[in-house]
Amino acid sequence: MRNITLINGDGIGPEISNAVLKIIDAAGVKINWDIQTAGADVIEKEGTPLPQRVIDSIKKNKVALKAPVTTPIGKGFRSVNVQLRKELDLYANLRPCKNLPSVKTRFENVDIVVIRENTEDLYAGIERQVDSDTAESIKIITRKASERICKFAFDYAVKNHRNEVCVVTKANIMKLSDGLFLESYRKISENYPMIRKREILVDNLCMQLVQNPEQFDVLVLPNLYGDIVSDLCAGLIGGLGVAQGANIGSDYAVFEPVHGSAPDIKGLNKANPTALLLSAIDLLKYIGELNVADKINNALFTTLKQGISTQDLGGYATTNEFADAIIQNLKL
Ligand code: NAI
């Protein structure tokens, strides 16, 4: 039986985790979930939102499913997400954005995968106050990290039968830093003659994404543009409740929804488990459980097509009712 770490999070985390575990269990895949608590709820007992046992568990199991955790504001704790990415060197942030059945959006044929470099750029956190009226942030782009993420993007495209990898920069202005990212893309792309290449400036990309998103396939971006553009793409397919994600490195992978712990609806049995379920489906594919992944995906789509959804998508189902409907549809 495969061991997988589950960080069941806080806020709505435990509710949506329970729903998703129930669905996976009903689909017949045997997983031994190594459940690890983290986030606001463990601070009092363990003095940190990310105890070492959580990192150790992921290092042992290699793969984790993570529900959202609250980052306490102004208490001196670093974000659990940022810490996990650093500790496990999860250098690639993967955000597939594809329309779901019966989820109304402005566009119908969006199928974009955003691949964001996760470790450097302006997020390296190198800032200084030059004088009382001037602050400075330093943008770090290295050849090693740029080539690594571009290779990840092309490998992803090959493995997932995608046709194009488009690089997004502002290399016309930041000729050295974004220029290096672009140069790395061009070098790596030579090894993938079967994948179409495309280069676009980030401002033009944003305009085109809100006018004609169907034209894009896989996007690869430095950290800051990736952060912004991946949320834009989540908006194109229906927003937070349906946006899945993953942080992947050479040795470990953590699959998680894009949304946070939604403290405003905690404990109300209202949260939409779809984003966590889609992340879990990606996890199942990652560990080679392709049939079960497809089976759960089909049951989710059938449920949405039946008009059953949670309140955030305009429906009436509670978290549990939605999960139960998916379980019923697994049997079809
Ligand atoms: P949020 O994503 O938790 O909530 C924003 C709005 O979306 C709220 O109205 C919420 O009710 C709704 N929402 C979010 N997920 C939903 C779902 N599955 N079903 C139905 N409605 C949903 O963002 P917010 O309020 O900015 O952050 C709350 C906490 O979550 C913060 O402490 C933040 O640091 C943390 N956070 C954690 C993340 C993670 O663990 N990956 C990611 C983003 C935020």
Side-chain angles (χ1 to χ4, degrees):
M1 204 190 299
R2 176 86 200 226
N3 292 327
I4 294 179
T5 302
L6 172 75
I7 301 174
N8 60 357
D10 55 33
I12 59 168
E15 297 163 54
I16 55 174
S17 299
N18 285 343
V20 167
L21 256 50
K22 221 163 60 169
I23 296 165
I24 293 178
D25 194 41
V29 60
K30 293 277 168 269
I31 291 175
N32 182 26
W33 295 102
D34 179 2
I35 299 179
Q36 297 287 331
T37 49
D41 294 350
V42 306
I43 293 178
E44 205 170 301
K45 245 184 158 173
E46 302 186 57
T48 166
L50 183 62
Q52 185 60 36
R53 62 175 165 74
V54 183
I55 309 268
D56 291 344
S57 164
I58 302 175
K59 286 194 170 165
K60 192 169 78 193
N61 298 326
K62 313 277 187 221
V63 182
L65 180 65
K66 178 180 162 293
V69 293
T70 305
T71 300
I73 297 173
K75 290 191 186 155
F77 293 112
R78 279 173 64 205
S79 146
V80 166
N81 303 312
V82 172
Q83 239 177 303
L84 268 182
R85 281 172 208 167
K86 262 218 143 75
E87 290 268 352
L88 302 171
D89 195 23
L90 305 173
Y91 66 85
N93 181 250
L94 184 65
R95 296 266 293 261
C97 297
K98 187 169 178 188
N99 284 116
L100 290 170
S102 306
V103 177
K104 280 211 181 77
T105 57
R106 285 171 194 272
F107 303 97
E108 281 177 3
N109 294 308
V110 177
D111 184 6
I112 300 171
V113 178
V114 181
I115 295 178
R116 161 188 170 196
E117 203 290 322
N118 233 352
T119 65
E120 51 182 33
D121 195 348
L122 280 159
Y123 291 64
I126 307 171
E127 287 195 303
R128 72 182 182 111
Q129 196 75 42
V130 179
D131 59 41
S132 58
D133 296 321
T134 316
E136 199 174 71
S137 291
I138 299 192
K139 175 174 164 119
I140 306 281
I141 300 284
T142 66
R143 190 181 304 280
K144 181 174 168 236
S146 304
E147 287 188 0
R148 172 166 86 159
I149 194 71
C150 290
K151 181 172 183 312
F152 180 94
F154 277 101
D155 285 342
Y156 178 91
V158 171
K159 198 167 166 213
N160 293 279
H161 314 291
R162 313 290 302 210
N163 297 316
E164 180 183 279
V165 174
C166 173
V167 65
V168 185
T169 66
K170 191 75 185 166
N172 55 333
I173 304 294
M174 278 158 282
K175 294 180 193 304
L176 295 182
S177 53
D178 281 18
L180 180 55
F181 195 87
L182 181 57
E183 188 186 318
S184 304
Y185 166 88
R186 286 178 179 162
K187 181 181 159 207
I188 295 295
S189 72
E190 286 171 11
N191 301 326
Y192 299 85
M194 64 301 245
I195 304 289
R196 231 176 23 243
K197 285 90 195 161
R198 182 169 176 187
E199 300 174 4
I200 194 164
L201 297 176
V202 65
D203 41 356
N204 184 16
L205 170 80
C206 290
M207 185 191 69
Q208 305 236 14
L209 275 173
V210 296
Q211 281 192 320
N212 182 16
E214 298 91 343
Q215 64 179 296
F216 293 103
D217 191 340
V218 176
L219 302 174
V220 61
L221 313 90
N223 207 341
L224 177 62
Y225 310 143
D227 191 3
I228 298 165
V229 167
S230 53
D231 273 18
L232 191 164
C233 290
L236 292 175
I237 55 147
L240 287 175
V242 296
Q244 82 244 48
N247 290 297
I248 298 179
S250 309
D251 301 316
Y252 313 109
V254 177
F255 293 80
E256 61 176 338
V258 169
H259 63 75
S261 54
D264 52 332
I265 55 167
K266 172 185 173 178
L268 300 179
N269 197 15
K270 272 167 82 169
N272 186 353
T274 301
L276 183 65
L277 183 61
L278 288 167
S279 306
I281 290 170
D282 283 347
L283 183 156
L284 291 169
K285 287 186 192 155
Y286 182 85
I287 62 168
E289 293 283 356
L290 302 182
N291 290 340
V292 182
D294 275 352
K295 188 170 155 187
I296 299 174
N297 203 64
N298 290 340
L300 167 67
F301 279 27
T302 305
T303 308
L304 291 169
K305 281 182 197 155
Q306 288 166 339
I308 302 170
S309 65
T310 44
Q311 282 179 28
D312 57 308
L313 297 182
Y316 302 98
T318 62
T319 310
N320 289 334
E321 286 165 354
F322 186 62
D324 289 342
I326 295 172
I327 290 169
Q328 280 305 314
N329 285 326
L330 283 170
K331 297 173 189 153
L332 294 182

